Amino acid sequence: MTIQDEKEFLLLVGENSPSGTAITPKSSQYLTAAEVVGIIERLGYEALPADIFLKMTTDEQQKLGSVAFKIYEKVISPKLGTMKDLWFMPSPMVYSGIPINNPGSRTQHFSSSGLCDVTVSMPISRSKSDQVQLPFGMPGRQVLSLLSTLALQVGEDEMVSLPAIKTRFVEEVFDTPATGGARGTVKRYTESLISWLNATIHIVHRGEMRSEGSAPIPYTSVKPMALVEEARYWGVDGFSKKAGVQFTFSRYFTQLAKSHAVPIEREIQLQIAKLEDPLAFDIYHWAIYRSNAIKEGGAPIALNWQSFKEQFMPDHLSTKYSVAEAALESIRRLERAGFKLPIIAGKREGLMLLAGGAPTIRGYVTPQQKSLF
């Protein structure tokens, strides 16, 4: 596994240095990677405080390379106690979601944010009975998070074998009671897994190329991406005791997970999933990611309800409630569950995300994090 690359989510530990520490940056200056390595060579790892990464800039942290993992193992880990498991979501899927409700026979889902357009597509089958459905709802989101986390834990080209897709898959991984039947949790989570193994995600960015003395030139960047290089599954339709799934992650998805994954504490994600509100799940992940990304003193992010709809609810057709009503109810549901977000929302105006009020995710992505399987 690798420490995440995105600056706003470099995961730092500790609020204050232990008393009596030998390391104190001069005035407001930060330590360089070379200085930290020098301290280790002269005084040993025990001279470093648990919050050593807070005393370095992002660029200098990254220069540590493999030394960062040794610092974690020898300095930080012993002082942390129990590590909190982190799960992840690919950042393009945080900006744009998947269907909230059952999409029926549709084989494509399109959503658009100010940063990118995302299309999730399924292969078309001759037989209706063989057609794989688009991932949707809470199981679709949780399974995507599972796959993103697994992509950080396995080696490139490593075959992943999941256990029999029954009780353990649902109850141990997602902390959800395993129920049978056509609408039971076993079927829903299994179908979501099969959906993502078949899915292709197209991520489209549009912008302008600029060079001195020349007019801007519009450009389009297209990234078609399958989650897996190859997948095989058997016995999943009849819930056979011999059911199983094997797959190898694609290079593109592995790179996306390593470079642009949004972390969240697993326990928090499970608590939000129990609200059974996919829109609340999307809003929470988007809010903590974007709020932490806004630089101190930076402008808030404002979305009118039309933009919100295009980003999170492109399929909304209900006449019973508006996009605004649905979003406001999801925000209230999060607040009642104890998840307060830095959002100002108006039924007519839209919502505004402020800087710094969302929880900062602390912890590490390390080789020591317990494997899911």
Side-chain angles (χ1 to χ4, degrees), residues 267-286:
E267 288 303 315
I268 290 178
Q269 191 183 83
L270 291 175
Q271 291 175 40
I272 294 174
K274 291 182 188 302
L275 299 177
E276 298 183 354
D277 183 343
L279 184 57
F281 184 98
D282 292 345
I283 291 173
Y284 185 86
H285 283 74
W286 172 78

Side-chain angles (χ1 to χ4, degrees), residues 231-245:
R232 296 174 183 170
Y233 45 90
W234 57 91
V236 295
D237 291 336
F239 307 109
S240 165
K241 292 182 179 180
K242 296 182 179 181
V245 173

Side-chain angles (χ1 to χ4, degrees), residues 87-98 118 120 135-152 169 173-174 189 192-197 199 201 225-227 249 253 256-257 261-262 269 281-282 285 372:
W87 279 37
F88 299 84
M89 287 289 285
S91 58
M93 304 307 294
V94 171
Y95 290 122
S96 303
I98 60 174
V118 176
V120 180
F136 70 94
M138 195 62 74
R141 287 158 171 79
Q142 288 184 277
V143 170
L144 177 60
S145 183
L146 164 69
L147 294 173
S148 301
T149 306
L150 281 174
L152 284 165
F169 181 68
V173 176
F174 299 110
Y189 281 92
S192 295
L193 175 62
I194 302 305
S195 292
W196 282 119
L197 296 183
I201 304 174
M225 176 187 65
L227 275 68
F249 285 112
F253 185 70
L256 178 67
V262 179
Q269 191 183 83
F281 184 98
D282 292 345
H285 283 74
L372 293 170

Side-chain angles (χ1 to χ4, degrees), residues 153-186:
Q153 292 187 321
V154 303
E156 193 169 339
D157 300 325
E158 180 179 343
M159 179 69 74
V160 178
S161 296
L162 299 189
I165 305 176
K166 295 188 86 173
T167 303
R168 184 182 174 191
F169 181 68
V170 175
E171 293 190 344
E172 293 190 23
V173 176
F174 299 110
D175 194 28
T176 298
T179 57
R183 301 179 66 181
T185 56
V186 171

Side-chain angles (χ1 to χ4, degrees), residues 96 110-119 202-210 216-223 310:
S96 303
F110 173 82
S111 54
S112 177
S113 70
L115 296 172
C116 60
D117 296 340
V118 176
T119 304
H202 279 76
I203 304 170
V204 179
H205 295 267
R206 293 181 175 85
E208 292 183 339
M209 294 186 295
R210 296 177 179 273
I217 302 174
Y219 77 88
T220 300
S221 168
V222 181
K223 295 182 180 179
E310 292 173 358

Side-chain angles (χ1 to χ4, degrees), residues 263-325:
I264 184 173
E265 289 181 20
R266 178 172 182 260
E267 288 303 315
I268 290 178
Q269 191 183 83
L270 291 175
Q271 291 175 40
I272 294 174
K274 291 182 188 302
L275 299 177
E276 298 183 354
D277 183 343
L279 184 57
F281 184 98
D282 292 345
I283 291 173
Y284 185 86
H285 283 74
W286 172 78
I288 61 169
Y289 179 48
R290 297 294 283 148
S291 178
N292 279 288
I294 300 173
K295 295 181 180 179
E296 186 175 350
I301 298 170
L303 291 178
N304 60 39
W305 290 122
Q306 180 59 36
S307 296
F308 183 91
K309 178 182 186 297
E310 292 173 358
Q311 186 166 342
F312 295 107
M313 303 176 67
D315 303 326
H316 179 78
L317 298 173
S318 174
T319 57
K320 294 182 179 179
Y321 57 90
S322 66
V323 168
E325 290 169 334

